Amino acid sequence: MKDKKLKSNAVTSGNKAAPARSLFRALGLTEEEMQRPLIGVVSSFNEIIPGHMNLDKITDAVKAGVRMAGGTPIEVPAIAVCDGIAMGHTGMKYSLVTRDLIADSTEALAIAHAFDGLVMIPNCDKNVPGLLMAAARVNIPTIVISGGPMLAGHVEGRKTSLSTMFEAVGAYEAGNMDEETFRDYECGTCPTCGSCSGMYTANSMNCLTEVLGMGLRGNGTVPAVYSERLRLAKLAGMQIMELVEKDIKPRDIMTEDAFINALTMDMALGCSTNSMLHLPAIAHECGVELNTEVANEISAKTPNLCHLAPAGRTYMEDLNEAGGIYAVMKEIDKLGLLNTDLMTVTGKTIAENIKDAKNLDTEIIRPVENPFSETGGIAVLRGSLAPNTAVVKQSAVAPSMMDFTGPAKVFDSEEEAQAAIDNGEIVSGDVVVIRYVGPKGGPGMPEMLNPTSAIMGRGLGEEVALITDGRFSGATRGACVGHVCPEAAAGGPIGLVENGDKIHIDIPNHKIDLLVDEDVLEERRKNKKEKAPNIDHGYLKRYAKLVSDSSRGAVLE
């Protein structure tokens, strides 16, 4: 007989559930299957994203695991957008906004059909946090199993990843790369299915899912093409049944301490700046208000142990071979910086999970005694240009750019900035400012990977800074400061910057200032004309009206 506490009793038990049971029979379910816990298997499979093209196989493996452990798996969909394909055109405005579509639709599917548990199968940038947000809202036993990272490409005798492809465009456009080599990059950079092979946003969030306790060991690092990934998926399908039996729910796991652990490991791993949007948003759904400014306090005591692409020339496959996320956690735990008493989807605590982890390559995972830097990978800046906050991936900034002052060259769109870079108008010493691309102004806070890659490709990465109220891809490197808040569309000072204004970026001291007298800014404020929205129809119009600022995770209110 079925456990009386199961949510699915509402649709499978008693006379009043007979209409629902008749529909389950139409699906081909047997009486025995209806008497077992119903597990929603939320698959993000599609044929447009390389990171998702293998998720049908992952899904089948999960369903096999659920059945082996005595449950009834029912596959349901989740959407996803490929940031790499959406990059550089209007499509990028529709990337971040899908995080909330994913969370909303998954919440609706799970509750409407009275599932007893959920297995989330994401892989790329927005659908990892979107599904975690849904898990927190629905708050029934849930486990996450990603599709796994892509293997690195091989071009000219060295490993490559998507960031090198984007930078190759800039090099080719500047005449620094011949056509044959450019073609080699295009054909050799992305060799397999999986989430792009560096510590970009998708891999950052999949790794942090392990840290949060919502994924099994290897969720973030086992390559997509390894058979080990299928075995891991089967284990996830089996493990959800233990979570249902013990009634271990997402909010039991994703506590405030778990998010502090995630921020700590974010610093150690050198994750994407997008984690500063997604962690607060997931925390918000858990009833935890995560102030991103605590990141500086955490960074000050957390060494950066990994330099994966784009910060360095190692890749997710290398991190996996070196021992994976648990090995990095065990290194950081030597300093007592993690709360290891927390419960995870393994049914064990973090301390139990990482007990036997080993660092197998001290060049990939530096020991805490020999870190890449004494401080973490991300810094939160404040100052007259960003009175609330701004974010920079300091582990990917050249030492010469850590304290930098230069004249502004201002653009009200990514397209204008890109054209100026392509035309050679950006020169050594400039500070490129791209505004009206924030959560409201974009709308949708598009990523600025094309401009940053073009700057790198032209050899200006150690001579030019870029500041925006938009955001950056995890593939971005260099002195790139994003998430400037308040954004221009919300009346922030970034909207008052004019060409030639001096801007000072001081990453070690967490400062970013517009070096213009306040009385001059006040006069500009009085004479400023309101800018018309970039898109004023459809979903983006509604999104722009509801979205909060980036310092709060760009959550909808």
Side-chain angles (χ1 to χ4, degrees):
M1 292 294 291
K2 210 170 183 186
D3 190 322
K4 293 180 180 179
K5 297 181 294 184
L6 291 175
K7 290 184 179 295
S8 59
N9 286 331
V11 293
T12 60
S13 298
N15 292 336
K16 290 184 179 179
R21 286 198 302 274
S22 72
L23 293 168
F24 281 125
R25 292 181 193 280
L27 291 171
L29 265 62
T30 65
E31 190 75 36
E32 182 179 11
E33 285 175 306
M34 285 187 276
Q35 289 303 307
R36 295 175 176 181
L38 301 185
I39 306 300
V41 180
V42 188
S43 173
S44 303
F45 170 75
N46 62 52
E47 293 183 338
I48 190 65
I49 306 177
H52 290 221
M53 62 183 284
N54 66 322
L55 295 192
D56 55 344
K57 295 178 176 61
I58 299 294
T59 301
D60 286 343
V62 166
K63 291 193 286 188
V66 171
R67 291 190 184 101
M68 284 190 286
T72 298
I74 300 177
E75 182 180 342
V76 293
I79 68 163
V81 163
C82 179
D83 281 21
I85 295 173
M87 196 74 65
H89 61 96
T90 302
M92 180 41 67
K93 299 178 188 294
Y94 286 86
S95 172
L96 178 62
V97 304
T98 63
R99 187 185 70 183
D100 296 275
L101 287 174
I102 292 160
D104 293 348
S105 59
T106 303
E107 172 193 358
L109 275 169
I111 295 176
H113 300 110
F115 288 136
D116 298 306
L118 296 169
V119 182
M120 307 293 203
I121 309 177
N123 212 27
C124 289
D125 297 18
K126 255 52 74 212
N127 78 321
V128 182
L131 289 177
L132 285 169
M133 289 164 68
R137 285 187 203 169
V138 178
N139 202 35
I140 61 175
T142 302
I143 191 168
V144 176
I145 169 66
S146 78
M150 184 183 291
L151 295 178
H154 290 269
V155 180
E156 295 189 309
R158 69 184 183 99
K159 288 183 177 181
T160 60
S161 61
L162 190 62
S163 56
T164 52
M165 181 69 250
F166 273 91
E167 290 176 20
V169 175
Y172 178 69
E173 294 286 338
N176 297 329
M177 180 181 290
D178 61 48
E179 186 171 353
E180 183 179 354
T181 303
F182 185 54
R183 177 72 171 168
D184 288 343
Y185 272 92
E186 180 182 337
C187 295
T189 292
C190 298
T192 70
C193 63
S195 48
C196 297
S197 58
M199 188 58 82
Y200 309 143
T201 305
N203 291 325
S204 293
M205 295 310 302
N206 280 323
C207 290
L208 294 179
T209 297
E210 281 192 58
V211 179
L212 283 169
M214 290 296 293
L216 299 178
R217 181 177 189 169
N219 178 68
T221 61
V222 174
V225 295
Y226 283 13
S227 296
E228 183 183 353
R229 175 62 58 178
L230 296 176
R231 295 195 296 272
L232 190 64
K234 289 176 184 176
L235 291 173
M238 296 169 71
Q239 187 61 25
I240 188 61
M241 299 307 297
E242 180 179 330
L243 297 176
V244 170
E245 182 182 347
K246 294 181 177 179
D247 197 29
I248 299 174
K249 299 185 288 291
R251 290 189 207 171
D252 300 327
I253 294 170
M254 292 192 288
T255 62
E256 183 172 2
D257 284 341
F259 284 103
I260 296 301
N261 280 352
L263 278 176
T264 300
M265 288 302 298
D266 189 319
M267 299 299 166
L269 290 164
C271 291
S272 164
T273 52
N274 281 315
S275 62
M276 293 294 102
L277 283 174
H278 299 322
L279 287 175
I282 300 163
H284 178 74
E285 299 294 348
C286 293
V288 174
E289 293 306 312
L290 190 65
N291 181 353
T292 53
E293 285 192 80
V294 75
N296 288 336
E297 179 184 332
I298 292 171
S299 178
K301 57 187 179 183
T302 307
N304 178 227
L305 305 184
C306 299
H307 259 197
L308 279 72
R313 291 192 175 182
T314 53
Y315 299 85
M316 297 305 297
E317 62 201 69
D318 301 313
L319 179 57
N320 187 62
E321 294 300 320
I325 301 307
Y326 280 14
V328 187
M329 292 177 75
K330 191 166 184 180
E331 283 290 344
I332 290 297
D333 190 45
K334 290 178 182 177
L335 300 176
L337 297 178
L338 297 177
N339 184 331
T340 59
D341 294 330
L342 306 182
M343 180 53 60
T344 71
V345 292
T346 65
K348 301 176 182 178
T349 65
I350 291 173
E352 292 173 298
N353 287 343
I354 68 174
K355 179 179 63 174
D356 297 324
K358 294 179 180 178
N359 183 352
L360 302 176
D361 190 328
T362 56
E363 285 303 310
I364 307 299
I365 304 171
R366 290 280 187 92
V368 291
E369 298 84 7
N370 180 36
F372 283 102
S373 67
E374 297 290 341
T375 55
I378 289 177
V380 175
L381 313 182
R382 289 187 72 177
S384 60
L385 185 62
N388 291 359
T389 53
V391 178
V392 63
K393 188 171 184 175
Q394 61 182 352
S395 61
V397 178
S400 61
M401 299 295 291
M402 295 293 282
D403 190 341
F404 183 77
T405 302
K409 286 192 176 172
V410 185
F411 306 95
D412 286 352
S413 72
E414 177 188 359
E415 292 78 8
E416 293 172 15
Q418 186 67 48
I421 297 167
D422 292 343
N423 293 334
E425 297 171 25
I426 305 304
V427 298
S428 178
D430 283 345
V431 178
V432 177
V433 177
I434 307 177
R435 61 192 180 188
Y436 293 102
V437 290
K440 291 183 180 295
M445 205 178 183
E447 292 181 343
M448 301 290 114
L449 179 57
N450 275 354
T452 60
S453 297
I455 287 169
M456 281 290 176
R458 288 174 173 268
L460 296 171
E462 297 187 17
E463 301 167 20
V464 169
L466 192 150
I467 298 171
T468 181
D469 53 8
R471 61 195 180 95
F472 297 114
S473 164
T476 290
R477 63 189 177 102
C480 301
V481 181
H483 306 203
V484 170
C485 187
E487 62 177 293
I494 191 172
L496 303 176
V497 182
E498 295 184 358
N499 286 326
D501 289 348
K502 292 291 181 67
I503 293 175
H504 181 210
I505 303 168
D506 184 355
I507 296 173
N509 291 305
H510 307 136
K511 298 284 290 179
I512 183 166
D513 290 305
L514 175 59
L515 305 182
V516 176
D517 291 341
E518 183 55 40
D519 56 343
V520 174
L521 294 179
E522 186 57 37
E523 190 63 27
R524 292 180 188 176
R525 206 172 275 115
K526 289 177 184 176
N527 297 323
K528 184 174 174 58
K529 294 180 180 178
E530 189 171 336
K531 189 177 183 296
N534 290 320
I535 292 181
D536 195 31
H537 62 275
Y539 177 52
L540 289 185
K541 180 179 180 179
R542 299 198 304 276
Y543 182 88
K545 288 182 177 180
L546 296 173
V547 69
S548 71
D549 64 51
S550 57
S551 67
R552 297 173 54 206
V555 297
L556 299 186
E557 298 179 318

